[in-house]
Amino acid sequence: MRLPSSIFVSVSLFTAETTAALYLSSTYRSAGDQIWQGLTLLFTLVPSVLVQLTLTFIHRDLSRDRPLVLLLHILQLGPVVRCLEAFCIYGSVGRVEEPYVSITRKKQIPRRGQSEEVERQVGQAEGKLFTHRAAFARTSVIQAFLGSAPQLTLQLYICVLQQGVSIGRGTLMVISLLSIVYGALRCNILAIKIKYDDYEVDVRPMAYLCIFLWRSFEIATRVVVLVLFSSVLQLWVLPVVLLNFLVFFLYPWILFWQSHSPFPENIEKTLTRVGTTIVLCLLTFLYAGINMFCWSAVQVKLNDPDLINKSQNWYRMAVYYMLRFVENASLLLLWYIYKTDFYNFICAPLLVLQLLVAYAIAIFFMMVFYQFCHPCRRLFSSSMTQGLWDCSSLLCLMCNSDSPQNRPMGKSVLEPSSPTTHKEPANDRVHDTASDTTDDIPNDTTYDMLDDTIYDTPNEMGNNIVGGINGDIGHIVSCNA
């Protein structure tokens, strides 16, 4: 049984950030900065309350007679008590004989086209530790993106206005950045375990390193861009933030209404329809908070029984990063145009270039993770590079079809082509590429970019369609040349 080290890290970051925030708020009070004191306390207490509610909800303490635990949660000491309880359970393993055990079956990651099932006995203590780990994985995400991310943005903004970094503020900023990166890492691992729940997933250290570097560059760049933009255009930062937040908050609900699915009733038996609606709103609120600062590995899907989208959609990820890169570049351009004399001591063009390069480095580590370090990459129906290449080809095809000289040809691409018009070399080339990137996959899988619906099609028909489209694309490119 593994040591519950992830629980210890989560509680340590939570305790350290809360302590540093309380100390910094006291310094703001002494200096007479009541606005900064109030915002610092707000970004500390609100996520703390949400963490207590999440732990109580997951462990179902309201339906159990545990008044002392509930009192400690009210005093905001719930994570500390849960951590001590988890280590007590870990220390008691092997000392007390358990009355019964359960048997779980997990598939191994397929190698050379074969996958074996492994049976394992899980005792009561290990089951309780699993519940604790799952609870703290979710609370780490809540603490990171509903508390640490706004806190880091606020403190960095204060540093820019006051042109200095105090020891207390610098300490809180470092802890907040570590908390955000750790929460994003737990979100990635949680997404992998939810999507591939039937498999025995083993995340290697190199995967953790790639995720850490990916999230560090992505989140740090995003926070700096928002702070720079808000320092020169204070009135415009609120519409930018609200637009981002509303888009990601409403997007899962729009997909849910388009699917015409019944209202989810299986979240918790004791919840009423109003309570279920509140829980779903909090879930989409967290989802919007994550996407405000970085790509959310856990994609919410309200019409799914688990409320999580388990399909891998490269198109959505590619569109997100392209739009986010354009948005960051636009915000930096506006900052460069309207920057004041305060920024004369720095080289503004070099800073803009460094931030854009840092975001590109984050995308690079993300691609390295999914291409080489993802523990379940053998289960992908298509590789990430192939998916991104298909997305870029689709965008180029749409641009060519919109131009006046290519509109008649764009129509022929959308129409199904006859087998006699296929070009054999193009078909062979596509078939070879697909076979190299989809080893150990029994059938082809087609993704819908809008609702992530997966359609299984026969291999012959898929090859004919791909060959036809590839031949038409080649014809358009040759005409444009």
Side-chain angles (χ1 to χ4, degrees):
M1 186 182 299
R2 294 184 294 108
L3 182 71
S5 56
S6 61
I7 298 177
F8 179 76
V9 174
S10 300
V11 175
S12 299
L13 290 173
F14 173 81
T15 306
E17 185 174 6
T18 303
T19 304
L22 293 177
Y23 169 77
L24 185 60
S25 64
S26 65
T27 61
Y28 287 145
R29 181 181 179 181
S30 300
D33 297 329
Q34 297 181 355
I35 296 178
W36 303 140
Q37 178 193 5
L39 292 176
T40 303
L41 290 176
L42 177 67
F43 295 143
T44 302
L45 296 179
V46 171
S48 178
V49 172
L50 293 177
V51 166
Q52 313 300 324
L53 293 176
T54 303
L55 291 175
T56 304
F57 179 78
I58 293 177
H59 290 280
R60 293 180 171 85
D61 289 325
L62 295 178
S63 59
R64 302 162 63 184
D65 188 13
R66 305 185 67 182
L68 179 59
V69 174
L70 293 177
L71 177 62
L72 293 174
H73 275 292
I74 294 175
L75 299 176
Q76 307 302 307
L77 297 176
V80 179
V81 176
R82 299 293 184 184
C83 180
L84 295 176
E85 183 179 356
F87 274 92
C88 289
I89 294 174
Y90 178 79
S92 64
V93 174
R95 297 181 181 180
V96 181
E97 184 177 358
E98 298 183 356
Y100 65 91
V101 294
S102 59
I103 298 177
T104 61
R105 292 182 177 88
K106 294 284 186 179
K107 297 179 182 179
Q108 291 184 342
I109 303 299
R111 296 181 179 179
R112 297 179 181 179
Q114 297 180 356
S115 178
E116 298 179 356
E117 283 192 356
V118 178
E119 292 186 356
R120 192 165 63 91
Q121 294 182 351
V122 179
Q124 288 182 330
E126 189 172 356
K128 292 179 180 179
L129 277 180
F130 177 81
T131 304
H132 279 287
R133 288 193 181 96
F136 276 99
R138 288 155 175 80
T139 56
S140 297
V141 178
I142 294 174
Q143 174 67 25
F145 293 101
L146 298 184
S148 301
Q151 189 75 267
L152 176 61
T153 307
L154 172 66
Q155 302 306 324
L156 185 58
Y157 179 76
I158 298 174
C159 290
V160 172
L161 292 183
Q162 298 183 357
Q163 303 182 15
V165 182
S166 62
I167 297 178
R169 191 183 301 127
T171 303
L172 179 58
M173 288 169 59
V174 172
I175 297 174
S176 297
L177 180 60
L178 292 177
S179 177
I180 302 169
V181 175
Y182 181 74
L185 188 147
R186 297 308 308 173
C187 184
N188 276 93
I189 303 303
L190 184 64
I192 294 173
K193 292 185 177 181
I194 291 176
K195 291 179 181 179
Y196 305 99
D197 184 55
D198 297 334
Y199 290 88
E200 189 73 26
V201 178
D202 183 20
V203 184
R204 300 185 180 276
M206 188 57 65
Y208 282 108
L209 179 61
C210 284
I211 297 175
F212 182 82
L213 294 174
W214 161 27
R215 296 305 193 178
S216 298
F217 281 101
E218 182 181 9
I219 294 170
T221 303
R222 179 63 175 170
V223 171
V224 173
V225 169
L226 290 176
V227 170
L228 290 177
F229 178 76
S230 61
S231 64
V232 296
L233 296 172
Q234 292 87 353
L235 297 179
W236 286 98
V237 67
L238 187 60
V240 171
V241 172
L242 287 179
L243 180 62
N244 275 271
F245 188 84
L246 289 177
V247 167
F248 290 107
F249 179 80
L250 296 177
Y251 182 69
W253 291 102
I254 293 174
L255 294 181
F256 174 70
W257 290 327
Q258 288 180 348
S259 64
H260 302 287
S261 301
F263 189 79
E265 301 285 354
N266 57 344
I267 298 178
E268 181 66 30
K269 295 180 179 179
T270 58
L271 291 178
T272 61
R273 182 176 287 268
V274 176
T276 303
T277 305
I278 295 175
V279 171
L280 293 178
C281 289
L282 290 176
L283 178 63
T284 52
F285 185 86
L286 175 61
Y287 176 74
I290 296 173
N291 283 280
M292 176 69 66
F293 294 93
C294 66
W295 165 257
S296 176
V298 177
Q299 294 293 307
V300 176
K301 190 175 183 180
L302 299 180
N303 58 348
D304 189 271
D306 296 329
L307 303 178
I308 300 298
N309 188 356
K310 298 182 180 180
S311 64
Q312 191 70 46
N313 194 320
W314 304 121
Y315 297 101
R316 182 183 295 180
M317 179 182 291
V319 170
Y320 173 86
Y321 276 102
M322 285 189 293
L323 294 179
R324 186 65 76 196
F325 186 86
V326 172
E327 182 192 7
N328 288 339
S330 302
L331 296 180
L332 288 174
L333 179 61
L334 292 174
W335 168 77
Y336 182 79
I337 294 174
Y338 294 100
K339 64 183 178 65
T340 59
D341 296 337
F342 169 76
Y343 293 100
N344 289 335
F345 68 94
I346 62 173
C347 182
L350 181 60
L351 179 59
V352 172
L353 180 61
Q354 288 176 344
L355 291 174
L356 295 180
V357 170
Y359 200 78
I361 292 175
I363 297 176
F364 169 76
F365 281 113
M366 180 264 294
M367 296 178 66
V368 170
F369 168 71
Y370 279 105
Q371 187 69 25
F372 302 106
C373 301
H374 196 286
C376 303
R377 61 186 180 276
R378 296 177 181 270
L379 301 176
F380 292 165
S381 59
S382 63
S383 64
M384 182 181 183
T385 54
Q386 184 66 29
L388 296 179
W389 177 258
D390 293 340
C391 182
S392 61
S393 300
L394 179 62
L395 293 176
C396 293
L397 181 61
M398 293 173 62
C399 294
N400 289 333
S401 62
D402 289 338
S403 60
Q405 59 181 356
N406 291 329
R407 284 177 183 173
M409 298 180 184
K411 182 179 180 181
S412 62
V413 176
L414 298 178
E415 295 176 352
S417 56
S418 61
T420 58
T421 60
H422 294 169
K423 294 184 179 181
E424 293 300 331
N427 189 19
D428 294 337
R429 184 165 57 254
V430 174
H431 178 72
D432 293 339
T433 305
S435 62
D436 292 339
T437 57
T438 56
D439 294 337
D440 305 332
I441 302 300
N443 60 345
D444 296 334
T445 306
T446 304
Y447 290 93
D448 190 347
M449 294 193 305
L450 296 179
D451 57 359
D452 299 335
T453 307
I454 301 178
Y455 305 96
D456 293 334
T457 58
N459 292 330
E460 295 180 359
M461 184 180 297
N463 291 333
N464 290 336
I465 294 176
V466 171
I469 294 177
N470 187 67
D472 291 335
I473 294 175
H475 177 66
I476 292 174
V477 173
S478 62
C479 291
N480 291 335

